[in-house]
Amino acid sequence: MSIENSGTVPAPRDEDPLVSAGLDIAMRWGQALGGAEQLKVALDALEPQLKREHQIRMKQLEMQAKRSEQQAKDVRDKRAHHFKVTSLIVGAVLSLGMLGAGVYVANDSWWLASLLCGPSLIGMALIFILRRHDAATARAIADAARRSTNAAAQAQTPML
C-alpha cells in the first residue's frame, strides 16, 4: 500500500524547513480537498493560471526594460541637444565679438582687423557651430588668412 492510497499522511520532515513547509501545505490542501487525487486535479487546474501569471510578469519586465531604455535614450538626446545649443550660442557670441573687435581696430591695426574678420572668423564658426575641425580645413583657413593679410598689406596706403 502506498502513501497516496492510504488515508494517513506522513508527518513532514524537520530536516529542511522549505521541504517541511511545502509538505505541510500539501497535506493541508490534500485534507481539505479530500485526498491526493483531488489535490492532483487542483494542481493541474492551477498550472495554466500560473503559466499565465508568469507570462504576464515576463511581459511586465520586458516593458519595464524598454521603458528604462527609452528614458536613457531621452536623457542622452536631451544632453546632446543642450550641448549643440550651447555650442551654437558660444560660436555666435565669439563670432560677433571677433567681428566687432575687427571693426573696432580696423583704423589702427589693419593686420589685426584682417585676422579677426577674415578666415579665422569662419574657422571659429566652423569649430564651435558646425563642430568640424579637420586638418584640411585648418590648412585652408591658414592659407586664406595668409592671402588676406598679404592682400591687405598691399592695399594699405602709406601714412603721412
Side-chain angles (χ1 to χ4, degrees), residues 5 7 10 31 43 51 54 62 71 97 99-100 119 123 128 146 148 153 158:
N5 294 337
Q31 289 171 354
L43 289 176
K51 285 182 181 179
H54 175 71
E62 183 181 322
Q71 287 174 345
L99 188 61
F128 282 101
R146 197 174 313 109
S148 69

Side-chain angles (χ1 to χ4, degrees), residues 18-134:
L18 293 176
V19 172
S20 175
L23 285 174
D24 185 44
I25 291 170
M27 286 188 325
R28 288 182 189 173
W29 273 101
Q31 289 171 354
L33 294 175
E37 292 81 23
Q38 287 82 5
L39 179 61
K40 181 169 178 14
V41 169
L43 289 176
D44 288 343
L46 185 62
E47 185 177 356
Q49 175 64 26
L50 292 174
K51 285 182 181 179
R52 285 192 296 272
E53 288 176 1
H54 175 71
Q55 289 173 347
I56 289 170
R57 180 65 181 150
M58 293 305 290
K59 286 289 185 186
Q60 288 174 341
L61 289 173
E62 183 181 322
M63 289 172 50
Q64 183 180 9
K66 285 181 182 178
R67 186 173 47 245
S68 297
E69 195 174 295
Q70 182 64 36
Q71 287 174 345
K73 183 183 177 296
D74 290 344
V75 167
R76 282 192 308 268
D77 290 346
K78 187 175 181 180
R79 285 181 184 164
H81 176 71
H82 181 69
F83 178 71
K84 287 179 181 178
V85 168
T86 303
S87 295
L88 180 65
I89 292 170
V90 167
V93 168
L94 184 64
S95 297
L96 288 174
M98 287 176 68
L99 188 61
V103 169
Y104 181 74
V105 298
N107 287 337
D108 299 329
S109 303
W110 59 267
W111 57 272
L112 184 57
S114 173
L115 289 176
L116 289 172
C117 294
S120 60
L121 176 66
I122 296 170
M124 286 305 203
L126 279 173
I127 290 172
F128 282 101
I129 297 172
L130 299 179
R131 311 299 303 162
R132 287 186 46 203
H133 47 82
D134 53 350

